[in-house]
Amino acid sequence: MGIKISGTGSAVPEHVLTNADLEKMVDTSDEWIVERTGIKERRIVKGDNVVTLAEKACRKALEDAGKKPEDVELILIATCTLEEFFPCCACQVQARLGAVNAAGFDVNAACSGFLFALATANAYLSTGLYKNALVVGSEVLSRLVDYEDRGSCILFGDGAGAVFVEPAAEGRGIISVVQGCDGPGGVALHCKTDALDKIHMDGRAVYRFATRQVPVCIEQALQKAGMKAEEVDLFFLHQANLRILETIAKRLGIPMEKVPHNLDRYGNISSATIPVLLDEIKKRGKMVAGNKIVLAGFGAGLTYGACVLVWDE
Ligand code: UT7
């Protein structure tokens, strides 16, 4: 048995940080950022935090699924930008939602976090331990971004996305999952818990890792599912850099029309990129029952993962 996504929701801050704004902060240009990343603007919190963004995304996902907070049995929140060591984000969101029947905990696999949390929910629900879950990616990366480092500050933004998952019909929902870590490569993207530390990134190393590892991981997940890349309708890939998406598409031999993207408007929101994009594409009515879908991501850790699912309504 696999799980299906029966509701989606997202919450992005209203405040927009454009490339023109960044030109005033570091030695960069709109032309360089657009050409090298595809990003034009990103959203930055003013007042919100990972908990309030997650709560807003969850409320929308519940509404979309036609569920009430008290129906929820499990809350998994992927985040790498917590403001408190504890209580975890999931417990704070449980309180704010009034999800009195839910257990919850956080998952930190950085930008792969949503995929890792979704795989965790899939495992829990497959055993019958829980009947449903809210799976969330919520990040306030602006807290950790070094706005004096032009090599990284141009990439990141804030936001949250959530999905409500339940058991799928036979042959539908999540069919296969592949996850992995390259711990030794972790030095390429790190940030200490020290309140004064900021994101340190070797952009080229992360770029090489993503373009090498993600296509392999997707092929493995497709093989496990008994599918070929050309059969897949949509690929929801972690939104980090348009050139990374294009290289992955090329390596898989798939057209970019099958790779939706919104990084031009939101930049890289770490664990939130995939659920925010899922919400956007679902609300546009682009997914119908039976569609074959791949979700795949990579991030600090270094972590990577992919899952294949057949859309179920
Ligand atoms: O979720 C995972 C998060 N991280 C990532 O996904 C990062 C993946 N990596 C990337 O997306 C790209 O490596 C970057 C966008 C970060 C950088 O692009 P690049 O094409 O790999 O540039 P580069 O680091 O090779 O730098 C090329 C040049 C350098 O100048 P020199 O040494 O050739 O004179 C940089 O100093 O571009 C310079 N540069 C910039 N120039 C203007 C670096 N950042 C900027 C900037 N504006 N913002």
Side-chain angles (χ1 to χ4, degrees):
M1 185 223 64
I3 57 170
K4 67 173 177 179
I5 294 172
S6 49
T8 61
S10 57
V12 290
E14 278 182 20
H15 180 69
V16 177
L17 183 72
T18 64
N19 290 350
D21 295 327
L22 285 167
E23 282 176 358
K24 295 178 201 138
M25 297 157 74
V26 286
D27 181 14
T28 192
S29 66
D30 173 55
E31 193 189 358
W32 191 96
I33 302 172
V34 172
E35 192 188 308
R36 300 288 182 121
T37 71
I39 300 167
K40 293 180 181 153
E41 57 189 43
R42 58 298 284 142
R43 301 299 181 93
I44 304 294
V45 291
K46 293 256 188 247
D48 268 309
N49 56 47
V50 278
V51 174
T52 58
L53 285 176
E55 179 199 355
K56 288 176 189 173
C58 284
R59 286 197 187 281
K60 291 183 188 164
L62 286 174
E63 192 187 336
D64 191 38
K67 300 289 175 185
K68 295 194 267 319
E70 52 270 34
D71 296 329
V72 181
E73 297 196 359
L74 179 66
I75 302 173
L76 298 179
I77 303 203
T79 182
C80 59
T81 53
L82 279 175
E83 279 165 51
E84 294 171 80
F85 287 120
F86 47 82
C88 70
C89 187
C91 289
Q92 294 185 60
V93 170
Q94 188 245 20
R96 295 179 74 98
L97 288 175
V100 289
N101 298 309
F105 59 93
D106 293 353
V107 174
N108 181 355
C111 302
S112 309
F114 176 77
L115 273 169
F116 278 47
L118 192 66
T120 307
N122 192 45
Y124 269 117
L125 269 58
S126 297
T127 66
L129 188 57
Y130 298 106
K131 291 192 195 66
N132 64 52
L134 273 169
V135 182
V136 188
S138 184
E139 306 284 3
V140 176
L141 285 146
S142 57
R143 279 183 50 244
L144 303 181
V145 167
D146 178 356
Y147 285 103
E148 292 183 356
D149 174 16
R150 68 176 183 170
S152 63
C153 73
I154 53 155
L155 297 177
F156 300 107
D158 303 334
V163 299
F164 183 82
V165 295
E166 299 174 274
E170 193 59 36
R172 295 271 170 101
I174 292 184
I175 307 291
S176 71
V177 176
V178 170
Q179 293 167 275
C181 297
D182 169 12
V187 67
L189 184 52
H190 63 97
C191 182
K192 294 197 192 314
T193 50
D194 178 339
L196 296 175
D197 201 29
K198 300 288 177 193
I199 293 172
H200 305 274
M201 186 180 77
D202 177 347
R204 285 185 205 182
V206 179
Y207 192 102
R208 281 195 301 273
F209 163 74
T211 50
R212 183 187 69 242
Q213 193 63 62
V214 176
V216 172
C217 176
I218 291 175
E219 290 287 10
Q220 287 170 343
L222 285 168
Q223 199 177 2
K224 268 174 98 172
M227 267 182 221
K228 297 220 175 316
E230 56 264 31
E231 292 173 54
V232 175
D233 297 290
L234 289 169
F235 291 80
F236 290 86
L237 307 181
H238 171 48
Q239 307 283 294
N241 183 325
L242 187 59
R243 284 161 54 221
I244 294 179
L245 302 187
E246 288 168 347
T247 306
I248 294 170
K250 201 168 162 199
R251 293 200 171 160
L252 292 170
I254 50 159
M256 278 303 282
E257 292 75 62
K258 289 187 172 184
V259 185
H261 42 91
N262 59 8
L263 51 70
D264 54 328
R265 285 169 286 130
Y266 301 132
N268 178 348
I269 340 171
S270 190
S271 67
T273 62
I274 292 174
V276 168
L277 186 62
L278 266 172
D279 184 45
E280 200 170 304
I281 300 301
K282 179 173 181 281
K283 300 271 156 72
R284 279 194 222 148
K286 297 276 183 201
M287 288 185 290
V288 294
N291 275 173
K292 293 173 177 137
I293 287 166
V294 165
L295 314 181
F298 64 93
L302 298 167
T303 53
Y304 56 90
C307 89
V308 176
L309 61 101
V310 177
W311 195 255
D312 190 12
E313 297 197 323

